[in-house]
Amino acid sequence: MKLPWKKLILFSVSLCMLLTQTGCWSSKEIEELGVYVALGIDVPEQTEFEKDVNAHGGHYPKENNITATVQIVPKDASKSNSQQASPAAGKSYFNEQLTGDSLLEIFRQFALRRDRPLIGHHLKVIVVSQEISRKYSLEQLLDFVLRDNDIRPSCLIVVSDEKAIDALHSNDPSEIPAFYLTGLVDNSYLSNKIMPAVSLAKLDATMQSGRSFLLQNVISYKGEHKFSGAGIFDSKTKRLIGTLSQVDLEGLSWIQERPKGGVIKTYEERTGSTVVYEIKHTKGKIIPTVHGDDISFHVKVESEGWFMEDWTVPEVEGDEEYLHKLENDFKKIAEQQVKQVLDKMQHKYKVDVGGFGEKLRIKYPKVWKKVKPDWDKTFSEIPITYDIKIKIKNQGSSTE
């Protein structure tokens, strides 16, 4: 008889606990919210909608400093015919724009034209145009975003060579550009032209540290997009001061010890045929040296990969002598890439975006403390040597 009574007591206690628990009475169904997944920041350009409503008394006190674009999902079909920036039927998102001098105020203005409040919990990417980032610092442009607790610090930050809104359009009706852009970062294991992702948290920490930095650049054409190079931001002003090309990023990847993938292409001397080496593994490091007041760096890189493509006809037999010659050819290409990006960093833009200062800080903290206040200028005058070794470990499957 004891066992049933124990079960009855346990059931009663459990029931009482359930009755005393409260639900989330203040919650809102996600279908009732406007979830925005991307934010674009451009130079001011009022839409026709804004011009028209302003002419009819819809203006409020503000300066036209920026135009913000929000990409909203899921699509509110009931609004598709009334919203100025709604897409063609069938798309999985729509973009809306407003112009002003405060991101927060712009977001609150959306409440005057949309019945669904905007929430930023699922913001995936922020695209900043190169033009606006030359005019204002990222600290100014992203101040609200960095303060807002609703926005996740894992949000990706990129720059656009044209308008940011161009990067938030797609020709594929099933594709959401915000997810497409974040997905491109995952391909870094295939190409050393893709930078490590710069999240909102990482960007904030970098700006606070006083270092110059890079943001991946995206180019767009009629709804199609491609990562191409990077924007250079100055340590002091936090503004865009220049760009690196795809080849520059390849050279930088050797310096930063991060080539997870990628290829080196050269041409066979006798026939001019294309020959390709695929990077499989790379081990490298930046070695700082200090003698008195003299600072220098040496970059040491060792790469192993596969000999994956040869257009030479008839095909040259892959003997040791031929492979050794190719290794030297690939090495020269890699060294040219490094030389090119170092020249831009040290002589054209005079900024350290390769991580040299960080290596100096770790190995010589006292020296770093002295040179840190004007490190970019100091870096531009420091001698840097490099040694790259390429080893072909595999020739792929035989085509014979």
Side-chain angles (χ1 to χ4, degrees):
M1 295 297 294
K2 291 182 179 180
L3 187 59
W5 280 105
K6 288 183 178 179
K7 288 185 176 180
L8 182 60
I9 293 172
L10 181 61
F11 175 77
S12 300
V13 172
S14 300
L15 182 61
C16 291
M17 291 179 65
L18 287 173
L19 291 174
T20 58
Q21 300 302 307
T22 60
C24 189
W25 301 106
S26 62
S27 68
K28 293 184 179 180
E29 297 296 330
I30 193 161
E31 290 83 2
E32 299 175 358
L33 300 172
V35 179
Y36 69 96
V37 292
L39 170 63
I41 304 177
D42 281 306
V43 293
E45 185 176 350
Q46 288 187 325
T47 63
E48 293 302 318
F49 171 82
E50 288 182 281
K51 293 176 182 178
D52 186 69
V53 297
N54 288 342
H56 289 82
H59 186 269
Y60 65 95
K62 63 181 175 68
E63 298 291 334
N64 291 330
N65 293 338
I66 61 171
T67 291
T69 303
V70 290
Q71 185 166 101
I72 304 172
V73 293
K75 176 186 174 184
D76 183 356
S78 65
K79 299 293 182 180
S80 62
N81 294 326
S82 60
Q83 296 292 351
Q84 179 273 334
S86 293
K91 285 199 174 183
S92 304
Y93 70 94
F94 64 96
N95 296 328
E96 285 196 6
Q97 287 184 287
L98 282 177
T99 302
D101 53 10
S102 161
L103 268 182
L104 175 58
E105 190 173 34
I106 288 173
F107 276 42
R108 296 299 178 259
Q109 284 292 312
F110 280 117
L112 304 181
R113 57 180 296 193
R114 289 188 52 79
D115 58 340
R116 298 185 179 188
L118 292 180
I119 60 168
H121 303 90
H122 301 283
L123 182 62
K124 299 296 183 183
V125 61
I126 299 175
V127 184
V128 183
S129 73
Q130 288 190 15
E131 188 174 0
I132 195 69
S133 58
R134 291 181 188 273
K135 188 175 181 180
Y136 298 104
S137 74
L138 286 185
E139 287 179 320
Q140 294 173 300
L141 295 173
L142 301 179
D143 186 68
F144 159 67
V145 175
L146 291 168
R147 293 174 186 268
D148 188 2
N149 290 329
D150 286 345
I151 295 176
R152 295 179 180 179
S154 59
C155 173
L156 175 70
I157 314 294
V158 298
V159 293
S160 172
D161 67 327
E162 297 293 339
K163 294 180 181 179
I165 191 174
D166 292 342
L168 300 179
H169 282 296
S170 175
N171 290 332
D172 185 348
S174 65
E175 181 179 82
I176 300 175
F179 299 156
Y180 171 86
L181 292 175
T182 55
L184 287 179
V185 177
D186 297 332
N187 295 333
S188 60
Y189 74 99
L190 295 171
S191 175
N192 53 0
K193 298 177 183 179
I194 300 176
M195 287 177 48
V198 178
S199 65
L200 194 60
K202 184 177 180 181
L203 176 65
D204 188 29
T206 303
M207 290 194 298
Q208 294 296 329
S209 71
R211 300 195 304 266
S212 297
F213 56 93
L214 299 173
L215 291 179
Q216 185 84 57
N217 182 65
V218 58
I219 57 178
S220 305
Y221 178 73
K222 294 184 178 180
E224 297 186 25
H225 316 290
K226 176 184 178 181
F227 278 175
S228 181
I232 305 172
F233 288 80
D234 180 70
S235 60
K236 292 183 172 60
T237 65
K238 310 300 188 296
R239 297 185 184 186
L240 185 81
I241 61 171
T243 59
L244 296 181
S245 68
Q246 293 184 55
V247 175
D248 295 329
L249 284 188
E250 288 181 294
L252 193 62
S253 71
W254 299 109
I255 296 171
Q256 294 182 327
E257 313 161 22
R258 62 170 175 83
K260 296 181 180 179
V263 299
I264 304 177
K265 180 180 65 178
T266 188
Y267 299 95
E268 204 274 326
E269 184 177 359
R270 179 176 56 86
T271 64
S273 300
T274 303
V275 184
V276 179
Y277 166 87
E278 184 177 22
I279 302 168
K280 291 296 183 180
H281 175 72
T282 300
K283 179 181 179 181
K285 58 183 176 179
I286 299 174
I287 305 170
T289 302
V290 175
H291 293 294
D293 294 331
D294 297 328
I295 302 172
S296 63
F297 291 99
H298 180 69
V299 180
K300 186 176 181 180
V301 180
E302 295 180 359
S303 174
E304 294 181 352
W306 292 5
F307 176 29
M308 290 299 293
E309 191 171 8
D310 188 350
W311 282 48
T312 306
V313 179
E315 185 174 340
V316 179
E317 184 179 351
D319 57 22
E320 289 296 323
E321 182 179 354
Y322 180 61
L323 293 180
H324 183 65
K325 178 183 181 302
L326 288 179
E327 288 171 347
N328 285 331
D329 291 342
F330 294 136
K331 171 185 175 180
K332 291 177 182 178
I333 298 297
E335 288 177 341
Q336 289 173 5
Q337 294 172 348
V338 171
K339 181 178 184 300
Q340 177 174 310
V341 73
L342 283 177
D343 183 64
K344 283 191 176 181
M345 289 165 55
Q346 289 192 290
H347 305 131
K348 185 174 182 179
Y349 299 116
K350 301 184 188 306
V351 292
D352 173 19
V353 290
F356 290 90
E358 182 64 13
K359 297 299 181 181
L360 183 66
R361 182 190 68 80
I362 293 171
K363 189 170 183 179
Y364 299 99
K366 292 183 179 179
V367 175
W368 171 249
K369 189 175 181 179
K370 293 179 181 178
V371 299
K372 179 182 177 180
D374 202 14
W375 170 243
D376 280 338
K377 183 178 183 303
T378 302
F379 168 75
S380 66
E381 301 170 351
I382 290 176
I384 301 175
T385 57
Y386 43 89
D387 178 32
I388 301 175
K389 294 183 179 179
I390 302 291
K391 182 66 176 178
I392 297 174
K393 298 293 289 186
N394 192 303
Q395 298 185 52
S397 301
S398 174
T399 59
E400 296 181 0

